[in-house]
Amino acid sequence: MAEELLLPTSMNKEERYKSLLPQIESLVAGEEDLIANLANIASALKYGMQFFWVGFYLVKDNSLVLGPFQGPIACTRIAKGKGVCGKSWEDKNVLLVPDVDQFPGHIACNSESKSEIVVPLVRDGEVVLVLDVDSDQLNSFDEVDQRYLERLLEMI
Ligand code: SME
C-alpha cells in the first residue's frame, strides 16, 4: 500500500481525479473491510482534491448513519427524503447543489458549507450508502465531479 498520494499541485480538477482514482484503487485493493476502505477514500478525496468535507452515510435501520469522514463534525442521522443526502437516497440519483441555501430542506451541519454533491451507491436496486462532498465555495461541483465520483464508488 502506498504511504502517500502523489498529486502535483499544477493539475486541474479532471487531471487530479484521473491521477487520484488509480491511487485510490490500489489503496483499497487487498483490503476487504468496508469501513477501513471508506475511511481511506474519505481521506484521499479530502486531501487529494482539497474538499472542505468528505464523508459517507450508510443506510442502517432505515436511516442514513454517519460513517467515515474527513472534515468538521457532522450530523449523525438523516431520514429518507431529508436534506440533500436523504433526497439522493430516496431518488437513487446524484444531486449537484450549486448553492445549499437554495436547496429546500438542506441540512446545515456546518455553516461554512456552500455547495455540495451527493452520490449514491446502488446495489441490487437499493442504496447502500451515499458519498457526500461539501465545498466552502459556491458552484464547486459539476459533471466532472459526478463522473469521477461515480467511478470511484464502483471500486467499493
Ligand atoms: N448537507 C447534508 C447533510 C450532511 S453534511 O453536509 C455533512 C444534507 O443536506 O443532507
Side-chain angles (χ1 to χ4, degrees):
M1 189 189 111
E3 289 181 1
E4 60 182 310
L5 301 171
L6 299 172
L7 287 169
T9 47
S10 58
M11 288 177 166
N12 66 29
K13 180 164 77 175
E14 183 152 20
E15 289 167 341
R16 292 182 85 80
Y17 276 120
K18 276 188 179 159
S19 170
L20 188 60
L21 259 60
Q23 296 185 65
I24 292 179
E25 196 161 24
S26 56
L27 197 59
V28 300
E31 175 52 66
E32 288 185 358
D33 187 88
L34 176 66
I35 299 300
N37 284 335
L38 296 183
N40 261 342
I41 291 171
S43 175
L45 279 178
K46 162 98 172 107
Y47 292 100
M49 301 303 294
Q50 284 136 23
F51 291 135
F52 174 68
W53 193 92
V54 180
F56 293 93
Y57 282 92
L58 290 88
V59 176
K60 283 184 194 172
D61 306 328
N62 212 33
S63 280
L64 286 175
V65 181
L66 183 63
F69 73 97
Q70 291 276 328
I73 57 169
C75 326
T76 53
R77 282 176 191 268
I78 298 173
K80 199 172 210 174
K82 300 293 179 191
V84 187
C85 293
K87 190 85 178 102
S88 169
W89 174 23
E90 187 172 64
D91 296 350
K92 301 178 183 170
N93 272 335
V94 175
L95 285 176
L96 284 156
V97 182
D99 178 355
V100 296
D101 289 339
Q102 304 303 315
F103 188 93
H106 168 258
I107 300 165
C109 295
N110 188 293
S111 59
E112 285 184 56
S113 176
K114 300 282 187 283
S115 58
E116 183 165 359
I117 181 170
V118 178
V119 185
L121 174 62
V122 182
R123 288 271 156 85
D124 298 325
E126 297 299 325
V127 174
V128 293
L129 58 80
V130 301
L131 166 62
D132 182 15
V133 184
D134 288 21
S135 167
D136 57 5
Q137 309 288 316
L138 293 168
N139 297 304
S140 285
F141 304 107
D142 56 23
E143 293 66 29
V144 172
D145 299 278
Q146 176 171 348
R147 179 156 14 103
Y148 286 97
L149 294 176
E150 283 183 314
R151 225 174 264 178
L152 171 66
L153 287 194
E154 286 166 17
M155 295 176 192
I156 295 173

